[in-house]
Amino acid sequence: MAVQMLMVCLLGVLLCQVWSSAEPHHNEDELHPQVLHPWRNQGKGMVRVKRDWIIPPIRVLENSKQVPENLVQIKSDKIFTGEVIYKLEGPGVDQDPKNLFEIDDKTGVIRSKRPLDREKYNSFTLKAFALSPSGERLENPTTIEIVVLDQNDNRPAFTQSQFVGTVSEFSVPGTSVMSVSATDADDPMTENAYLSYFIISQESIPANAVTKTMFGINNETGAIYTRDVGLDREVVKGFRLKLQVADMGGMGLTGEGEAIIHVSDINNHAPQFSPASYSMTAVENRQDYEIGRVNVTDRDDRGTGNWEAKYVISNDLSGNFAITTDPATNQGVLTVVKPLDYEAKSVYSLILAVENFNTLSNKAPNLPVSTAKVLVTVVNENEAPHFREDPIQIVVPESVVPGTLLKSNIAFDPDNSVLRYEITRDPERWLDINRDTGDIMAKRTFNMRSPHVKNRIYNAVVKVTDADGVSTTGTVAITLKETNDFPPQLFPLSGSVCRDAGRTNSGLVVTAVDEDLPPHAAPFSFETVDYLSVNWTVIQLNYTHALLLPLVELEVGEYVVTLMVSDSGSPTLSAYAQVNVTVCLCDSFGDCKSEVGAILGSSVGISFIALIIIMASIALLLLLLLLAVAITTCGRRHHIKKGTGLLVGESEDDIRDNVLNYDEQGGGEEDENAFNIDMLWNPHDAPSTPVSYYPGSGVPRGKQPLRKDAPQNLPSPTYPQRPPADPTDIEDYINDGLEAADNDPNVPPYDTALIYDYEGEGSLAGSLSSIASGSSDGDQDYDYLSDWGPRFKKLANMYDPR
């Protein structure tokens, strides 16, 4: 308890010394009693106390003029042991800002060297050291804090040079307008920075519009508010206030500022028409053009929503007119948005109403909405004829009958004038039009495949003109509907199949083409004609293709198969076609080969050695045949007697009896239109059993070909029976026979591949030897041939009699 009492007494003494050190001292003699002993040790017969003392801050007044100024003296209680050296470190001594403080190293007096500025540095924390002469630290460092006391050396200043605020007109007193603020660099914890605000003057804009005080200010917060009524924007636009701020509660230093307060507009004035009635004219058949303007007045702030007018037409039920606002003048612009018709209505009386875009304030006078009357007179003009529809739509089948009426009553004239019609564009010349009535008719049958038909639509142009020469044109859009005009055509008309009917893919794939468009084309159906194609059948593969194949294994050769193909049109069209099918031997790949090639290519063919033997045998047979022919020729040469004719032999048999086949190609392709080898025989006579055909003709063997260029079943003309006796008439004889053959309807024409067979004996024409001469062999003398040269002399020797 005694120790605690001692510490309290010592602390009280120390506080007294620190406070007294703030007073100025002029010599060191006066400083000695005010000495701090921060390093007091335990003395003899004394109780040891705490070494580290808590030293209160040393207060120094800023801006002091008495410099250098002693602030405090520190002492070490180890002084009895020898000399002590004092040192001081920290900001203001050896750190920035330097040279503000110093310490006497012998006496321990701390003094200020220059005046201090609290607004720059309001306190300093230093460390004091007690050292021996050898530099040994005698005590722990002691912290010394120096606090700079404030003086009222700074004026308050507004944060802005000019404050701007707004207040609505007719605001009630106490309405907050704006706030102003100021700052003071002095210590905010002292009276030096305690500020107060004042309004020292008021000026209205325009000047002297309002003279009474309209605004007040809160002295502590700087909030400006209204004090009185009478803020009318139509009278005063704003105010300029001169402000003042002072520290020390209004008793110290002062600063000045300015505030501008604008009076904002409210919508307290409704727009009014001026004048209230108008007269305008509008031309018929025109649209989207201005016919006049109306004016309004509004006292509210120009360019704002309180001033901008919004117009309404209250009685335009048809929507022929529209009114908009010109943003620059606030006028109502009246326009025609739908064409007017003088013949229907010549005068319009419009009622207009106007209001602001912004809602009218409750402080505005209670007046009715302003209205105006506009009388619009329609001006008549000669109008062009009008089509009842444009384009003129017509839907018609492409096979329309010429003369069919397609469209009538296509146009009218608003002025009831007489109209004239004409077609100005019709590239295919399909249309005709009645000049007086405008009836459009079909001039000819349409063609869907015309290059002028696009997407099944054919376009033409019609022109209509009134009595005054005013005309207009319109488009005629004709949509063509497809009709079934063309039967399908089978393709291909020739091909080959394998003789082995059981072979895979042994048939002929056929299809068809149709010039019609869907739905009058595919799918196609294929059928065989039973009585013409008994050995064949056709299998449908898909919508467009079928497979033709034999029902039985046929002989190698050419066959004509009659097929019927039908389309899906309405009505259905069908066509018959004959397909030339070659039945051939096929190799293992199903390809047609010659008979030998088929054997060689088959997997069951003969060996190579056997083939060599066969070929050698054939060559030997040919050699023997040639030898036999040569021997026969030589033998017959020796039987010809001298003096006999070349055309006369030993035998009375006609040499022609040995001729079996002839190849006669005729005169070329000119007669193909008159004779078709495919139709040389009557298909109704087809046998019910498998038959063979003449190669390349499609005619069954044993059938007489029929001509298509002459009626059938007519009697044949009379052929010459015997040649004339005179050899000079041979040319006439041949010509007569040729003419008879050409005019014979029962035989093929002369340029057809004729078919010959063994004619037999007893020909009515007799022997050809009679053409050359009617004499006997003994009467023939060929000696005269020796006079014709070496070649004919040799010929004469061949017939030299023995």
Side-chain angles (χ1 to χ4, degrees):
M1 188 67 176
V3 175
Q4 293 177 352
M5 292 296 296
L6 178 60
M7 291 180 64
V8 171
C9 294
L10 292 176
L11 181 59
V13 173
L14 181 60
L15 288 175
C16 293
Q17 291 177 350
V18 172
W19 280 104
S20 63
S21 64
E23 298 299 329
H25 300 278
H26 302 286
N27 51 69
E28 292 187 6
D29 297 336
E30 299 177 357
L31 187 61
H32 292 301
Q34 303 171 358
V35 177
L36 295 179
H37 298 273
W39 300 291
R40 184 177 302 277
N41 292 325
Q42 180 181 359
K44 185 178 181 179
M46 297 181 60
V47 178
R48 181 175 177 83
V49 297
K50 188 175 180 179
R51 278 183 180 272
D52 297 331
W53 291 84
I54 299 176
I55 303 177
I58 301 173
R59 301 179 179 273
V60 181
L61 188 66
E62 68 171 336
N63 302 320
S64 173
K65 304 299 182 182
Q66 299 178 1
V67 290
E69 179 182 5
N70 294 335
L71 303 179
V72 68
Q73 182 182 14
I74 59 175
K75 285 286 188 179
S76 173
D77 54 2
K78 289 188 177 183
I79 190 171
F80 62 89
T81 61
E83 184 178 1
V84 178
I85 301 175
Y86 298 97
K87 296 291 183 180
L88 192 64
E89 293 180 356
V93 181
D94 56 353
Q95 300 176 17
D96 292 331
K98 297 180 179 181
N99 298 323
L100 293 181
F101 305 100
E102 63 180 359
I103 187 171
D104 190 317
D105 57 354
K106 297 185 181 300
T107 62
V109 176
I110 300 175
R111 62 176 67 91
S112 62
K113 299 174 62 176
R114 291 183 298 174
L116 303 178
D117 186 355
R118 192 207 65 84
E119 284 69 41
K120 292 183 179 181
Y121 304 98
N122 57 2
S123 64
F124 299 89
T125 301
L126 306 178
K127 288 187 178 297
F129 299 89
L131 305 176
S132 66
S134 62
E136 180 183 357
R137 181 181 297 180
L138 300 178
E139 304 286 351
N140 290 332
T142 299
T143 300
I144 298 176
E145 184 176 2
I146 299 176
V147 177
V148 182
L149 300 177
D150 183 51
Q151 283 188 335
N152 192 16
D153 56 345
N154 292 282
R155 289 182 176 274
F158 284 100
T159 56
Q160 300 178 25
S161 59
Q162 186 181 79
F163 296 89
V164 179
T166 302
V167 62
S168 298
E169 62 177 334
F170 298 107
S171 294
V172 297
T175 302
S176 177
V177 179
M178 59 188 298
S179 293
V180 296
S181 60
T183 59
D184 195 318
D186 290 323
D187 190 355
M189 303 304 295
T190 65
E191 290 287 331
N192 298 335
Y194 180 61
L195 306 180
S196 293
Y197 300 91
F198 307 94
I199 298 176
I200 58 178
S201 68
Q202 170 187 297
E203 180 182 355
S204 64
I205 304 173
N208 301 320
V210 175
T211 57
K212 59 183 178 180
T213 302
M214 298 298 300
F215 300 97
I217 190 170
N218 187 305
N219 298 102
E220 296 182 358
T221 63
I224 299 176
Y225 55 91
T226 59
R227 291 184 56 181
D228 208 338
V229 297
L231 294 175
D232 188 351
R233 196 203 60 81
E234 285 72 38
V235 176
V236 60
K237 307 299 181 184
F239 294 87
R240 179 178 290 107
L241 305 181
K242 188 175 182 180
L243 308 177
Q244 184 184 75
V245 59
D247 57 16
M248 299 190 72
M251 304 301 294
L253 303 178
T254 63
E256 294 184 354
E258 183 181 66
I260 302 296
I261 300 176
H262 299 286
V263 180
S264 62
D265 181 56
I266 63 172
N267 192 13
N268 61 325
H269 297 284
Q272 301 293 320
F273 280 105
S274 178
S277 62
Y278 301 85
S279 295
M280 302 178 186
T281 59
V283 181
E284 69 169 336
N285 302 320
R286 294 177 58 187
Q287 64 182 16
D288 297 329
Y289 72 100
E290 178 183 334
I291 61 174
R293 297 190 173 206
V294 296
N295 299 313
V296 294
T297 58
D298 195 320
R299 295 179 59 191
D300 289 318
D301 194 7
R302 186 181 183 90
T304 65
N306 298 333
W307 169 82
E308 187 175 0
K310 180 171 62 177
Y311 300 89
V312 178
I313 304 175
S314 60
N315 62 337
D316 182 22
L317 300 180
S318 301
N320 295 319
F321 302 91
I323 188 167
T324 57
T325 303
D326 187 335
T329 62
N330 214 24
Q331 293 176 315
V333 182
L334 190 63
T335 59
V336 177
V337 294
K338 290 184 179 180
L340 304 178
D341 188 358
Y342 174 82
E343 287 72 22
K345 189 174 183 179
S346 60
V347 177
Y348 292 85
S349 180
L350 304 179
I351 303 299
L352 308 182
V354 64
E355 58 184 3
N356 291 126
F357 273 89
N358 291 346
T359 304
L360 194 65
S361 173
N362 55 5
K363 297 179 180 179
N366 188 13
L367 298 175
V369 176
S370 179
T371 60
K373 183 178 180 180
V374 179
L375 191 66
V376 180
T377 302
V378 182
V379 178
N380 186 29
E381 67 173 5
N382 185 19
E383 303 175 54
H386 295 287
F387 287 99
R388 298 190 184 279
E389 60 175 345
D390 192 10
I392 302 170
Q393 300 289 344
I394 299 176
V395 180
V396 63
E398 63 171 334
S399 58
V400 63
V401 179
T404 302
L405 177 63
L406 303 180
K407 198 78 171 183
S408 61
N409 193 22
I410 62 174
F412 68 94
D413 187 74
D415 301 316
N416 298 319
S417 177
V418 178
L419 301 180
R420 291 291 181 267
Y421 300 87
E422 62 177 322
I423 296 178
T424 59
R425 184 180 182 274
D426 182 13
E428 292 289 352
R429 301 181 181 275
W430 287 345
L431 304 176
D432 198 4
I433 192 169
N434 188 300
R435 182 175 178 83
D436 298 323
T437 63
D439 293 342
I440 300 176
M441 295 167 290
K443 190 175 182 180
R444 66 175 77 177
T445 302
F446 298 161
N447 183 9
M448 183 75 77
R449 277 143 290 281
S450 169
H452 298 96
V453 176
K454 307 295 183 183
N455 297 325
R456 302 189 179 187
I457 297 177
Y458 175 76
N459 290 320
V461 177
V462 176
K463 180 180 180 182
V464 57
T465 307
D466 64 10
D468 295 327
V470 180
S471 63
T472 185
T473 59
T475 301
V476 180
I478 302 177
T479 302
L480 300 179
K481 294 191 299 183
E482 177 77 14
T483 57
N484 200 10
D485 303 319
F486 300 93
Q489 300 298 319
L490 193 69
F491 177 83
L493 296 178
S494 63
S496 61
V497 297
C498 294
R499 182 170 178 265
D500 183 4
R503 182 185 296 274
T504 305
N505 299 327
S506 62
L508 174 63
V509 177
V510 294
T511 183
V513 293
D514 198 327
E515 295 185 32
D516 293 313
L517 298 177
H520 301 293
F524 301 114
S525 60
F526 303 85
E527 299 179 23
T528 58
V529 180
D530 294 339
Y531 58 88
L532 298 179
S533 307
V534 294
N535 296 324
W536 298 83
T537 186
V538 64
I539 300 175
Q540 193 87 24
L541 297 178
N542 52 34
Y543 291 151
T544 57
H545 292 74
L547 182 66
L548 176 64
L549 70 164
L551 292 173
V552 297
E553 185 173 316
L554 302 177
E555 295 295 330
V556 173
E558 294 187 357
Y559 298 84
V560 176
V561 182
T562 303
L563 295 181
M564 183 181 71
V565 57
S566 305
D567 60 20
S568 299
S570 179
T572 301
L573 295 182
S574 303
Y576 290 88
Q578 290 182 330
V579 182
N580 295 322
V581 183
T582 301
V583 177
C584 61
L585 296 176
C586 297
D587 57 15
S588 59
F589 300 101
D591 298 327
C592 276
K593 299 289 184 180
S594 63
E595 187 168 355
V596 175
I599 296 175
L600 292 176
S602 64
S603 59
V604 296
I606 60 179
S607 65
F608 180 74
I609 298 177
L611 179 63
I612 296 298
I613 295 174
I614 293 174
M615 296 299 292
S617 300
I618 294 174
L620 181 59
L621 291 175
L622 290 176
L623 180 60
L624 295 176
L625 180 62
L626 290 176
L627 291 175
V629 172
I631 294 172
T632 303
T633 303
C634 292
R636 294 183 61 181
R637 179 188 302 175
H638 296 294
H639 283 82
I640 299 176
K641 298 180 180 180
K642 182 178 180 180
T644 60
L646 291 174
L647 301 178
V648 179
E650 291 182 348
S651 175
E652 292 296 326
D653 295 337
D654 195 341
I655 194 172
R656 292 173 300 166
D657 294 342
N658 298 322
V659 179
L660 298 179
N661 294 298
Y662 296 87
D663 285 334
E664 180 174 327
Q665 297 180 350
E669 299 176 357
E670 299 297 331
D671 291 343
E672 285 184 358
N673 294 331
F675 186 80
N676 188 344
I677 195 66
D678 293 338
M679 299 301 294
L680 290 179
W681 65 288
N682 190 347
H684 297 283
D685 297 335
S688 59
T689 59
V691 296
S692 61
Y693 298 84
Y694 288 109
S697 67
V699 180
R701 295 182 182 271
K703 293 293 182 178
Q704 173 64 32
L706 300 179
R707 293 181 62 140
K708 294 172 62 178
D709 58 338
Q712 302 178 11
N713 301 324
L714 295 179
S716 300
T718 303
Y719 286 84
Q721 299 298 317
R722 300 288 296 181
D726 189 355
T728 60
D729 295 333
I730 293 177
E731 180 178 1
D732 295 334
Y733 172 79
I734 295 175
N735 290 335
D736 292 340
L738 178 62
E739 182 178 1
D742 287 341
N743 295 324
D744 191 347
N746 298 318
V747 298
Y750 76 95
D751 58 346
T752 303
L754 301 180
I755 303 170
Y756 293 88
D757 204 343
Y758 179 75
E759 297 177 356
E761 298 181 354
S763 173
L764 295 177
S767 176
L768 291 177
S769 63
S770 62
I771 298 177
S773 173
S775 60
S776 63
D777 296 343
D779 295 333
Q780 299 290 337
D781 186 6
Y782 297 96
D783 292 339
Y784 66 92
L785 294 177
S786 301
D787 299 332
W788 289 5
R791 297 181 180 273
F792 288 92
K793 184 177 180 179
K794 183 177 181 180
L795 181 62
N797 293 334
M798 293 175 61
Y799 290 90
D800 184 23
R802 294 182 181 179

